[in-house]
Amino acid sequence: GARVDAEAAAFGDGYAAEAAAGRVYRGTVTSRGPKGWWNVRYDDDGETWATEEHFLKEVVPSPSRLAKIAARAPRPMRG
């Protein structure tokens, strides 16, 4: 699934008030939830939480990371 960052506010106002300013939580989308929601497995605790999409920002890999991913991809055999 897509890699995403979630704002602390995704976990409620109380949680956001206690989180460090600008803190985001990275995770991987595992499935679509009800309209406007995504199920995300968060790296911090390994738990999957339903998260409203307006709190999520897709993480785009850096060009060097994309190059490493492409280098590991299987290549078609030539006949």
Side-chain angles (χ1 to χ4, degrees):
R3 297 287 289 159
V4 293
D5 283 343
E7 303 170 22
F11 307 104
D13 292 337
Y15 191 88
E18 293 182 18
R23 175 79 161 99
V24 294
Y25 300 86
R26 184 154 295 172
T28 302
V29 172
T30 59
S31 62
R32 181 178 283 262
K35 185 176 181 173
W37 291 76
W38 295 91
N39 295 312
V40 179
R41 185 180 64 245
Y42 288 94
D43 297 349
D44 290 356
D45 61 7
E47 297 283 330
T48 299
W49 297 93
T51 309
E52 287 183 274
E53 65 187 2
H54 68 90
F55 289 116
L56 299 174
K57 179 179 177 184
E58 188 171 12
V59 177
V60 178
S62 67
S64 62
R65 177 80 177 123
L66 287 172
K68 288 177 185 175
I69 292 168
R72 289 194 314 248
R75 298 173 194 247
M77 294 184 65
R78 294 188 178 190

